[in-house]
Amino acid sequence: MMWLNWRQFRVQALVGAGALAIIAAYLLYYGADVRDGYDVYQAGCQGAADCAQARSQFRSAYENTLLFLAAGLGLIPAVIGTFWGAPLIARELENGTHRLVWNQSVTRPRWLLSKVLLVGLAAMILTGASAALLTWAAHPFDEVVKNEFSTFVFGARNIAPIGYAALAFTLGTIAGLLLRRTLPAMAVTLVLFLAFQFFFPNVVRPSLMPPDKATLPMTAQAINEAQNLGSIGGGPVINGVKVPGAPDAWIASTSPLRTSDGKTLDGAKFNNCINTPPKTGASGTFGDAAVCLEKLDLHVDVRYHPASRYWAFQWLETSIYLALSGLLTAFGLWRIRRRVS
């Protein structure tokens, strides 16, 4: 049975091996380039001001490419689910070739399980190897930038992509088993997996562990250290704040800017500070606007996870994806035994 499955899968396996070879060659080259840039960063980091400038230059040189690579790695499980998982059973059912196997001594669950194990393991190896290569290539950058909890970065490093590949593949396989048509199964797999990949990190991941809470006074310095001020509609919000004592923490949520009595800052006052602040000659990212806001005695309430929880989140998320993959496989074994003819 495994020999027959290998014969059917060998073309996809060769394509996957070729793709992995190309990915490895590029990431080995790019990882060496990142390390050269890291050496330049260290050489230029002689004082606080010099370090800030060197860090900014190092980040701008590699950030966009690494984000692009992370997004590309994030598509690998989706492609596997669509082109390996969805046709795996749907093509057999569509063409009627499943009857040939079922008329032999192989039971339906064993037939399905052997296919899932062989191709699923290949999917996890391909994705896991790609993630390991990208993790290695980006390691110096991640050490400097400390942005490992961002959505794209978290999902493209270490072990989490292995769980993504397992779920995408089994989702595609079960979609093919239920729909019995290859193209509809491919479309459904792609849409469902991408939707789940958007839903999980934004809704589920922040709640996997109870977050710590803190109230942060919005001094001019704290405001200037943030990433941005205001919302698309001009609301009094601030993003990218730092938690004192835990500068590398993952900020799960940040309240709007609040006054000392706990009320949300009036939008008109916020806009006045942003658009027409009193001239003080202050420096920093937001300059006079930060000084103006500081005088309003503001604070924000944040929920955050310390950087020390990173591996706990990696293991939890990977376990959840593998568990969902196992449940889908169990459902497929039940379904093929009782409902598929």
Side-chain angles (χ1 to χ4, degrees):
M1 191 68 224
M2 293 300 291
W3 179 85
L4 175 61
N5 288 334
W6 165 248
R7 292 273 298 178
Q8 292 179 314
F9 178 63
R10 60 184 177 179
V11 174
Q12 295 97 314
L14 289 173
V15 172
L20 181 59
I22 295 172
I23 292 171
Y26 177 76
L27 288 178
L28 288 171
Y29 160 77
Y30 193 72
D33 186 51
V34 172
R35 279 155 177 78
D36 290 340
Y38 181 71
D39 292 338
V40 173
Y41 157 75
Q42 286 188 311
C45 187
Q46 302 300 324
D50 293 336
C51 275
Q53 182 178 1
R55 181 177 180 274
S56 177
Q57 291 173 345
F58 178 62
R59 181 170 186 167
S60 63
Y62 298 102
E63 184 171 36
N64 289 338
T65 301
L66 286 172
L67 284 176
F68 176 79
L69 290 172
L73 178 62
L75 289 176
I76 291 178
V79 172
I80 286 174
T82 302
F83 291 95
W84 287 11
L88 188 69
I89 305 301
R91 184 173 51 210
E92 301 271 14
L93 297 175
E94 198 171 23
N95 296 332
T97 53
H98 63 289
R99 298 188 184 93
L100 177 63
V101 179
W102 290 357
N103 285 326
Q104 310 302 317
S105 60
V106 177
T107 63
R108 297 181 185 187
R110 181 185 170 190
W111 174 72
L112 175 61
L113 188 60
S114 63
K115 283 180 170 291
V116 169
L117 289 178
L118 175 66
V119 186
L121 182 61
M124 293 167 68
I125 291 173
L126 172 61
T127 309
S130 300
L133 287 163
L134 180 56
T135 301
W136 172 84
H139 179 71
F141 181 87
D142 293 340
E143 284 294 306
V144 174
V145 175
K146 300 292 185 182
N147 197 30
E148 62 266 29
F149 275 110
S150 70
T151 300
F152 281 133
V153 174
F154 185 92
R157 304 285 198 271
N158 298 302
I159 62 173
I162 297 173
Y164 302 164
L167 179 60
F169 170 72
T170 51
L171 178 63
T173 301
I174 299 308
L177 179 64
L178 295 176
L179 297 175
R180 305 170 67 102
R181 295 291 183 270
T182 301
L183 290 179
M186 293 172 70
V188 168
T189 300
L190 184 61
V191 171
L192 287 180
F193 183 73
L194 291 179
F196 189 78
Q197 283 294 80
F198 175 82
F199 168 80
F200 195 94
N202 290 287
V203 178
V204 180
R205 185 185 297 161
S207 303
L208 288 178
M209 286 189 284
D212 292 342
K213 299 178 182 179
T215 297
L216 308 180
M218 287 294 96
T219 63
Q221 179 181 349
I223 293 171
N224 282 320
E225 290 176 351
Q227 293 179 0
N228 54 68
L229 273 172
S231 65
I232 295 176
V237 299
I238 186 169
N239 294 305
V241 296
K242 301 292 185 182
V243 179
D248 302 329
W250 170 32
I251 306 296
S253 66
T254 306
S255 72
L257 290 166
R258 290 175 173 164
T259 56
S260 58
D261 59 2
K263 296 180 180 179
T264 299
L265 176 65
D266 180 71
K269 292 182 179 180
F270 176 75
N271 290 330
N272 286 337
C273 281
I274 296 298
N275 299 324
T276 57
K279 301 298 181 182
T280 63
S283 60
T285 305
F286 301 105
D288 293 332
V291 175
C292 178
L293 291 170
E294 179 184 42
K295 294 179 179 179
L296 299 178
D297 190 20
L298 303 174
H299 68 272
V300 293
D301 297 318
V302 299
R303 298 192 307 152
Y304 69 96
H305 296 281
S308 58
R309 296 179 182 174
Y310 173 78
W311 274 106
F313 273 98
Q314 279 273 324
W315 282 108
L316 277 170
E317 187 158 325
T318 304
S319 299
I320 290 171
Y321 274 75
L322 291 175
L324 290 174
S325 177
L327 289 174
L328 285 173
T329 301
F331 170 78
L333 295 174
W334 171 84
R335 176 81 182 187
I336 203 170
R337 183 186 297 117
R338 296 178 178 272
R339 300 295 183 88
V340 179
S341 62

